[in-house]
Amino acid sequence: DQQVKQNSPSLSVQEGRISILNCDYTNSMFDYFLWYKKYPAEGPTFLISISSIKDKNEDGRFTVFLNKSAKHLSLHIVPSQPGDSAVYFCAAKGNFGNEKLTFGTGTRLTIIP
Amino acid sequence: SAVISQKPSRDICQRGTSLTIQCQVDSQVTMMFWYRQQPGQSLTLIATANQGSEATYESGFVIDKFPISRPNLTFSTLTVSNLSPEDSSIYLCSARPPGLAGNEQFFGPGTRLTVL
């Protein structure tokens, strides 16, 4: 049962344009969401997060939007740069009394120079 | 943030043997976490390692197969026992540094295990 889904396994975007990565979840008990970026042979690197009490969080070129009614979040990267080429994972944490993160399957983003 | 290191970075093991992975954090943390990423899959939590108590395992993971040690607040080991080719994965440890307002975890670089 995949509770966090990233339905696009890959995405290609021209350099300088906006990259939009999407994530859907099924468990309404999730109350905190995170995005990680992963390069080959490295561990995931934390990018940005959002609490369920907000609908938007921005940090530089990265903005995360949360639509609780649709159980959907998205990561916007603008402008996209070649160094953004990586696999992006969304993750969710619930109010379950533990720190468990549930990850999506990832989206491979390729920025075309 | 936290700097997390893992050893070994990769290994190739024979079926039936065991591999112990070490994880070191540069600050004292209450909880450390062990994840597995099978080829083409997402990261799956194996267990949460608390200092001074038994690890808490997720559904589908058992202590006999994945024994964990947590001798102090900066170090943990994960052993993958009785290896089979299905254990070929990347194993990652993570930690949540104290004093963070959010729930982010920071990850080590991972250990790539190949079982022949």
Side-chain angles (χ1 to χ4, degrees), chain B residues 8 26 29 38 45 58-59 61 63 78 84 86 89 91 94-95 108:
Chain B
D26 70 342
V29 295
Q38 294 177 301
L45 181 65
E58 296 297 310
S59 175
F61 298 96
I63 187 171
L78 169 74
S84 69
E86 292 72 34
S89 297
Y91 292 85
S94 73

Side-chain angles (χ1 to χ4, degrees), chain B residues 14 18 37 47 86 108 113:
Chain B
Q14 295 295 325
S18 298
Q37 185 185 15
E86 292 72 34
L113 169 62

Side-chain angles (χ1 to χ4, degrees), chain A residues 37-102:
Chain A
K37 171 180 173 180
K38 187 178 185 300
Y39 293 119
E42 294 184 13
T45 302
F46 169 72
L47 270 179
I48 192 169
S49 61
I50 188 167
S51 164
S52 60
I53 63 173
K54 296 185 176 181
D55 54 17
K56 177 182 175 181
N57 189 27
E58 190 171 355
D59 184 2
R61 296 187 298 115
F62 302 93
T63 303
V64 56
F65 295 92
L66 175 62
N67 182 333
K68 283 180 60 179
S69 61
K71 294 190 177 68
H72 176 84
L73 63 154
S74 61
L75 174 68
H76 293 209
I77 307 172
V78 56
S80 300
Q81 300 173 354
D84 296 329
S85 295
V87 177
Y88 289 78
F89 291 94
C90 67
K93 178 186 176 299
N95 188 17
F96 306 128
N98 59 43
E99 301 289 323
K100 176 181 178 179
L101 296 182
T102 301

Side-chain angles (χ1 to χ4, degrees), chain A residues 2 31-32 34 36 38 41-46 49 89 93 98-106, chain B residues 10 31 33 35 37 40-43 45 58 90 92 96 102-110 112:
Chain A
Q2 190 70 30
D31 61 1
Y32 198 86
L34 309 93
Y36 284 85
K38 187 178 185 300
E42 294 184 13
T45 302
F46 169 72
S49 61
F89 291 94
K93 178 186 176 299
N98 59 43
E99 301 289 323
K100 176 181 178 179
L101 296 182
T102 301
F103 282 82
T105 50
Chain B
R10 59 176 59 227
M31 285 184 285
F33 308 90
Y35 288 82
Q37 185 185 15
Q41 306 291 317
S42 64
L43 283 72
L45 181 65
E58 296 297 310
I90 299 173
L92 298 125
R96 181 164 171 261
N103 292 288
E104 48 268 32
Q105 294 174 16
F106 293 88
F107 284 81
R112 182 180 292 273

